[in-house]
Amino acid sequence: DVKVTQSSRYLVKRTGEKVFLECVQDMDHENMFWYRQDPGLGLRLIYFSYDVKMKEKGDIPEGYSVSREKKERFSLILESASTNQTSMYLCASTPRPLTYEQYFGPGTRLTVT
Amino acid sequence: QKEVEQNSGPLSVPEGAIASLNCTYSDRGSQSFFWYRQYSGKSPELIMSIYSNGDKEDGRFTAQLNKASQYVSLLIRDSQPSDSATYLCAVEGARSGTYKYIFGTGTRLKVLA
């Protein structure tokens, strides 16, 4: 079974803090994704990575950066957290090519106060 | 026009009835289509994938794809209260030469006991 894990289920941070969200998958998948999910807006792609050290911006990259130093790990970084970044963050992975379904982690509910 | 459109619902059906969920998409080049189920507070889990025109059945679930009309649907037979969830339609498509998954905002299904 594919397993995608995320570092925290719930996280509370203060405005201006630097926040790290980590995602690890154990199936040697090439592609990894970070989404945020908000009511009425659905899943929106922040960044994705198709290989180690490779990354591409998604639809809403502003205020976020990512790091992929190892194949199994994809980190999302909020450089200076703001209240409008309060959301559910979901990590996903899939093997190449992108015709396969995505496997999601359990999600991190981030609250920025 | 949204790239992937779903009626947000809620769609209410009595227990034992057939639930019909619909999704339209705009990218004619899309080749892979997915239905995910998402319970409140949880991450999406794959229900069905479909790649060619026609019907694909898996237990109580049937996915239908019509590429000419650009729609994909999910039928749930003998609906159970445990089927109450939000159903997300996802389409793999090429945008600007980079392949991504595009999600609809989901249809909330309520199965009434």
Side-chain angles (χ1 to χ4, degrees):
Chain A
D1 268 0
V2 177
K3 195 167 182 184
V4 181
T5 57
Q6 295 184 228
S7 49
S8 305
R9 284 289 283 127
Y10 299 94
L11 209 52
V12 180
K13 295 292 181 180
R14 294 192 181 276
T15 301
E17 278 193 82
K18 191 167 186 175
V19 182
F20 293 88
L21 302 182
E22 293 211 319
C23 175
V24 178
Q25 50 93 5
D26 66 359
M27 283 302 290
D28 203 35
H29 286 173
E30 287 83 1
N31 304 300
M32 296 187 75
F33 305 79
W34 275 107
Y35 295 91
R36 62 178 284 178
Q37 187 175 32
D38 301 286
L41 296 177
L43 276 161
R44 292 182 291 168
L45 181 64
I46 304 171
Y47 268 98
F48 70 101
S49 169
Y50 51 90
D51 206 343
V52 175
K53 297 191 187 294
M54 305 302 288
K55 61 185 179 186
E56 284 210 24
K57 292 180 180 179
D59 299 314
I60 50 163
E62 296 79 21
Y64 304 94
S65 62
V66 290
S67 172
R68 192 160 180 209
E69 296 297 318
K70 293 185 178 181
K71 191 175 187 179
E72 67 270 18
R73 188 179 300 267
F74 191 34
S75 301
L76 180 69
I77 303 152
L78 286 66
E79 297 291 341
S80 177
S82 63
T83 55
N84 62 13
Q85 292 178 310
T86 292
S87 186
M88 169 70 91
Y89 289 88
L90 289 160
C91 174
S93 74
T94 187
R96 195 173 289 155
L98 278 182
T99 54
Y100 294 97
E101 64 271 17
Q102 292 187 304
Y103 296 87
F104 284 88
T108 296
R109 173 75 64 186
L110 173 67
T111 301
V112 182
T113 61
Chain B
Q1 182 194 4
K2 289 183 183 177
E3 294 181 86
V4 177
E5 290 207 60
Q6 296 181 255
N7 189 317
S8 61
L11 172 67
S12 295
V13 299
E15 185 175 357
I18 296 175
S20 177
L21 306 164
N22 299 311
C23 171
T24 58
Y25 61 94
S26 60
D27 185 354
R28 285 195 170 274
S30 297
Q31 296 295 321
S32 306
F33 306 86
F34 308 94
W35 282 101
Y36 289 84
R37 177 177 63 199
Q38 186 176 24
Y39 292 113
S40 181
K42 303 292 186 183
S43 59
E45 55 179 332
L46 183 75
I47 298 295
M48 295 281 287
S49 58
I50 187 166
Y51 304 99
S52 54
N53 280 328
D55 294 1
K56 180 182 177 183
E57 188 174 318
D58 184 1
R60 294 187 297 112
F61 300 95
T62 299
Q64 300 174 316
L65 175 61
N66 184 323
K67 289 186 180 179
S69 301
Q70 294 175 248
Y71 82 80
V72 56
S73 61
L74 180 70
L75 301 178
I76 307 175
R77 288 183 299 281
D78 189 24
S79 295
Q80 301 297 308
S82 59
D83 294 325
S84 298
T86 296
Y87 289 80
L88 303 175
C89 172
V91 175
E92 171 270 321
R95 288 191 292 169
S96 303
T98 304
Y99 287 86
K100 298 178 188 175
Y101 299 89
I102 305 160
F103 285 82
T105 54
T107 298
R108 192 154 64 97
L109 174 66
K110 288 177 142 182
V111 181
L112 308 171

